[in-house]
């Protein structure tokens, strides 16, 4: 069973979450996690000015996703940073190229989930995931969130991401905060949970 993890990461926070999602997927017998980055839309000059060139070298080895790969996956988990309460432009452009899949119904019935990050605690994480769900519904996919069976999202002893809609992390205004162990645990839980649902749907 092929679980595709498609994401965009500028400074590495979503990449680290994607790795944790993949770890969770691999805990399900017979499930293979495949990591893919969506194409970059910003010029090297802009990325340089944003301080993103050096951080992106850490995950430059991850192959760039193609739209056709979505159709061949048994389940898909999307990761995107928050941009003003919505998905980033790179992800939006990638999804806008899936019209051919929509016409053919290629994604109908596939399990799908979303994870995200934001600079602040209330930086639009939930709205980013919920508005992403609209795309999944238009494609006929089966939305899988992060249920309260993951008790880590109810913690109040530390700053943490995670909601019933999906795993998340808080990066900090300067990107100084890395995903915490609780954030990563939520990502692993969601990866495992999506793979488990996909196994049932494909069974």
């Amino acid at each position: 069973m092929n679980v595709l993890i498609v994401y965009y990461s500028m400074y590495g926070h979503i990449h680290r979450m994607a790795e944790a999602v993949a770890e969770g997927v691999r805990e399900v017998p017979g499930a293979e996690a495949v990591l893919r980055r969506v194409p970059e839309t910003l010029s090297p000059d802009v990325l340089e000015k944003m301080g993103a060139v050096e951080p992106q070298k850490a995950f430059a080895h991850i192959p760039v996703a193609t739209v056709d790969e979505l159709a061949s996956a048994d389940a898909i988990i999307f990761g995107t940073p928050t941009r003003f309460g919505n998905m980033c432009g790179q992800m939006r452009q990638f999804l806008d190229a899936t019209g051919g899949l929509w016409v053919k119904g290629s994604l109908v019935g596939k399990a799908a989930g979303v994870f995200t990050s934001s600079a602040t605690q209330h930086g639009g994480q939930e709205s980013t995931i919920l508005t992403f769900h609209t795309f999944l519904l238009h494609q006929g996919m089966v939305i899988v969130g992060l249920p309260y069976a993951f008790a880590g999202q109810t913690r109040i002893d530390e700053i943490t991401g995670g909601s019933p809609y999906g795993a998340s992390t808080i990066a900090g205004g300067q990107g100084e905060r890395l995903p915490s162990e609780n954030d990563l645990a939520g990502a692993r839980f969601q990866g495992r949970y999506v793979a488990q649902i996909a196994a049932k749907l494909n069974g």
Side-chain angles (χ1 to χ4, degrees):
M1 185 176 65
N2 176 2
V3 180
L4 189 62
I5 302 165
V6 181
Y7 68 94
Y8 177 80
S9 188
M10 179 164 281
Y11 300 110
H13 300 83
I14 287 293
H15 170 68
R16 182 64 192 94
M17 292 287 282
E19 290 182 322
V21 169
E23 292 167 8
V25 167
R26 296 185 187 112
E27 292 176 10
V28 177
E32 176 188 2
V34 179
L35 289 166
R36 291 289 185 269
R37 297 179 293 130
V38 299
E40 182 59 79
T41 60
L42 298 176
S43 69
D45 287 347
V46 172
L47 290 172
E48 184 70 41
K49 290 176 182 176
M50 298 178 74
V53 172
E54 197 61 34
Q56 288 190 352
K57 289 180 181 179
F59 44 92
H61 63 284
I62 303 295
V64 174
T66 65
V67 168
D68 290 341
E69 288 180 285
L70 301 179
S72 60
D74 294 301
I76 309 169
I77 308 173
F78 297 92
T80 176
T82 293
R83 296 289 185 264
F84 304 106
N86 211 320
M87 72 179 74
C88 66
Q90 292 86 346
M91 182 63 72
R92 179 78 269 167
Q93 184 160 315
F94 180 73
L95 298 182
D96 282 348
T98 62
L101 300 182
W102 175 78
V103 169
K104 297 175 184 176
S106 301
L107 304 183
V108 173
K110 295 181 187 291
V114 184
F115 60 98
T116 191
S117 69
S118 64
T120 60
Q121 290 185 69
H122 306 288
Q125 293 184 359
E126 293 183 358
S127 62
T128 294
I129 295 176
L130 288 170
T131 52
F132 204 123
H133 285 172
T134 305
F135 166 79
L136 304 181
L137 290 168
H138 275 261
Q139 291 284 5
M141 305 185 82
V142 179
I143 295 173
V144 182
L146 182 66
Y148 282 108
F150 172 64
Q153 67 174 294
T154 64
R155 292 179 62 174
I156 59 172
D157 62 318
E158 64 175 59
I159 295 173
T160 190
S163 73
Y165 315 115
S168 62
T169 189
I170 301 153
Q174 303 300 317
E176 69 275 16
R177 182 186 183 273
L178 297 176
S180 69
E181 180 49 45
N182 195 51
D183 296 339
L184 297 174
R188 284 190 288 270
F189 189 106
Q190 189 174 10
R192 182 172 63 250
Y193 189 49
V194 169
Q196 289 170 338
I197 297 298
K200 293 179 179 179
L201 292 174
N202 295 330

